[in-house]
Amino acid sequence: MTRQLVLPVHRTVPWGTVGSAGAAGLLLAALTRTGETAEGLSLYLLRAAILAFAVGLAFLLDDPARHTTGAVPTPRPVRVALRVALAVPAAAAWWTVALLLVPPGARPPVGDITLEAGAAFVLAVTGAAAAVRFSEVTRPGLPVAVGLLATAVLAMLFWPGRWALFVPVEDERWAAAHDRWGVVLAGAVVLCAVCAVEPVRRRIRL
């Protein structure tokens, strides 16, 4: 049954939106090659590229036919997992290209920045899964994308320094910040799994 679902699910994934966001992200990553000033801003441009692609992933669970597929025999967690599984190779390929676009001398530590990227990508999908679980929307992508952008900006501006996440490579808090990124990633994965179950049904009042 799962194998038979792969092609239909693939056709419903909004690849155009995800691809457009990915293209914008790669453009940002490519700016690191335009001069010494841009190389100095490579970490920030790469983080902006991550955010751009994460915004695209927020649309991964958009499904105009959501309410007509609610009664199908395949559980929703399986359908969500299929969408995520289809997106993982695309995200991995996109991230590889984004890293290669950054000049080696200006590239931040690959493992740590990959952790940031993974956390951002999972958070985007988690937001979409939560919107599907707790609301009746069929296209959660736009509000989740807006919320993701707003959260990223507010976090960079107002997140307490002692729990800093967005720090430069030379900052002594870099290692501790990425310990926190690991916690964020783990928490997002757990929350995404919880939100992937069948949506909460509203009680019918007699």
Side-chain angles (χ1 to χ4, degrees):
M1 178 69 74
T2 301
R3 291 180 181 177
Q4 294 174 349
L5 281 174
V6 172
L7 187 56
V9 171
H10 183 277
R11 289 173 177 169
T12 62
V13 173
W15 293 115
T17 303
V18 176
S20 297
L26 291 180
L27 179 60
L28 288 167
L31 290 177
T32 60
R33 309 182 73 91
T34 59
E36 293 183 3
T37 302
E39 287 187 13
L41 297 174
S42 61
L43 175 62
Y44 305 100
L45 288 170
L46 197 52
R47 282 175 171 162
I50 291 169
L51 182 58
F53 191 62
V55 165
L57 291 177
F59 293 82
L60 187 65
L61 301 186
D62 280 17
D63 183 6
R66 169 188 171 185
H67 298 302
T68 64
T69 59
V72 298
T74 307
R76 182 171 295 278
V78 174
R79 303 199 301 273
V80 171
L82 275 175
R83 285 184 176 236
V84 173
L86 289 169
V88 166
W94 178 89
W95 180 237
T96 301
V97 174
L99 284 175
L100 292 175
L101 284 173
V102 180
R107 193 177 299 153
V110 173
D112 291 337
I113 197 66
T114 299
L115 179 62
E116 293 186 28
F121 298 164
V122 176
L123 281 171
V125 178
T126 299
V132 170
R133 170 141 171 77
F134 297 108
S135 75
E136 297 294 326
V137 297
T138 59
R139 297 178 184 270
L142 182 58
V144 172
V146 172
L148 185 66
L149 285 170
T151 300
V153 171
L154 291 174
M156 285 187 286
L157 292 176
F158 301 111
W159 194 261
R162 58 180 177 176
W163 298 327
L165 291 172
F166 302 100
V167 297
V169 177
E170 64 274 9
D171 196 302
E172 62 182 10
R173 298 171 296 172
W174 177 267
H178 287 83
D179 289 340
R180 287 187 282 271
W181 275 112
V183 173
V184 171
L185 176 58
V189 169
V190 172
L191 186 58
C192 187
V194 170
C195 291
V197 300
E198 295 293 340
V200 173
R201 303 297 182 187
R202 295 179 179 178
R203 295 180 180 178
I204 300 176
R205 296 182 181 181
L206 301 178

